[in-house]
Amino acid sequence: MTIRVLLADDQALLRATFRILIDSNPDMTVVAEAADGQQAVELTLEHRPDVVLMDIRMPGTDGLAATSGICARTELSGTRVLILTTFEDDENVAVALRSGASGFLGKDVGPDILLAGIRTVAAGDSLLSPMATRALITRFLASSADHMPLATPERLALLTEREREVMALAALGRSNQEIADQLVLSPLTVRSHVSRAMTKLHARDRAQLVVIAYQSGLVRPTPDS
């Protein structure tokens, strides 16, 4: 299946570079380009891409508002947003994750990492780049006093003990394989636990599940964060 990608960035040269890179791969194609957030929302509604590669800083409607606009629409539930940013320690990244973005990458990542990131997000998994440390998550997502939580601690009662355990490990950045190895389960079983937790907590994807884990107190910031 071909992964359909929409590019949203105000720099035409950068969009052209990404298009050449993406279109050179037989399993993905660029279906549209947007120069600002409003155009990104409109083109996403028109083309229904699998992944929107979204820049945060754009004139007019920025990438944060566009991400929120896309992720809030039920008819776009099959579209994933992958944030591209120069500032990986920016609180805007956390706001984007809370809004429904499936992850983010720095603009300086290599071509292979970018392509792998698109495939990861298209498959329904979340993506935090190698440079995105747990400190970023704990610093902004756990400090949610000024933000409406995606789920309250009470909602965690809907999960089984195993689902909470798997969710906590996912929030610490563990992959399905790493969780499987630690809990002596198969990766498929881990994926099933993650999927059920997402359904019960109404999480759009794995990234929002991570946000919920911190906001609900299931996982807490470490002292060295």
Side-chain angles (χ1 to χ4, degrees):
M1 184 184 74
T2 302
I3 301 171
R4 303 171 73 252
V5 181
L6 185 148
L7 304 176
D9 196 296
D10 62 327
Q11 299 181 47
L13 181 59
L14 195 57
R15 293 199 310 271
T17 301
F18 286 151
R19 177 183 279 275
I20 292 171
L21 173 64
I22 292 169
D23 284 345
S24 68
N25 287 264
D27 65 331
M28 57 182 72
T29 185
V30 174
V31 296
E33 297 181 25
D36 59 48
Q38 180 60 39
Q39 192 176 31
V41 175
E42 293 171 354
L43 290 175
T44 299
L45 284 166
E46 179 182 348
H47 295 278
R48 307 295 172 92
D50 300 302
V51 177
V52 176
L53 209 55
M54 182 80 74
D55 184 26
I56 287 182
R57 288 171 172 77
M58 292 184 287
T61 302
D62 64 17
L64 294 175
T67 296
S68 180
I70 291 170
C71 295
R73 295 176 180 266
T74 56
E75 66 267 38
L76 296 178
S77 60
T79 296
R80 302 287 181 244
V81 177
L82 176 58
I83 298 293
L84 281 179
T85 178
T86 308
F87 305 97
E88 290 194 89
D89 61 346
D90 196 327
E91 185 175 3
N92 287 337
V93 172
V95 173
L97 290 175
R98 278 192 290 264
S99 298
S102 294
F104 66 94
L105 284 171
K107 282 189 173 181
D108 57 351
V109 298
D112 291 343
I113 294 178
L114 176 63
L115 295 173
I118 293 173
R119 295 186 181 101
T120 296
V121 169
D125 292 327
S126 65
L127 179 71
L128 296 176
S129 73
M131 291 169 284
T133 65
R134 196 165 69 207
L136 180 142
I137 305 172
T138 56
R139 188 184 313 153
F140 297 124
L141 302 190
S143 301
S144 56
D146 297 328
H147 303 279
M148 181 67 69
L150 293 175
T152 62
E154 289 74 23
R155 287 193 63 82
L156 293 181
L158 297 172
L159 306 183
T160 66
E161 182 178 352
R162 180 63 87 184
E163 287 165 355
R164 287 194 295 273
E165 191 174 17
V166 169
M167 178 177 169
L169 290 173
L172 294 176
R174 306 287 196 277
S175 67
N176 284 353
Q177 185 61 60
E178 290 170 334
I179 295 172
D181 291 342
Q182 183 169 338
L183 300 180
V184 195
L185 300 170
S186 72
L188 182 59
T189 298
V190 171
R191 179 179 284 271
S192 295
H193 284 310
V194 170
S195 179
R196 285 197 293 270
M198 285 167 48
T199 298
K200 291 179 180 180
L201 298 175
H202 304 294
R204 178 184 174 90
D205 57 18
R206 192 181 180 113
Q208 282 204 337
L209 200 65
V210 171
V211 175
I212 292 171
Y214 281 97
Q215 288 187 328
S216 64
L218 179 64
V219 177
R220 297 187 180 280
T222 54
D224 58 349
S225 295

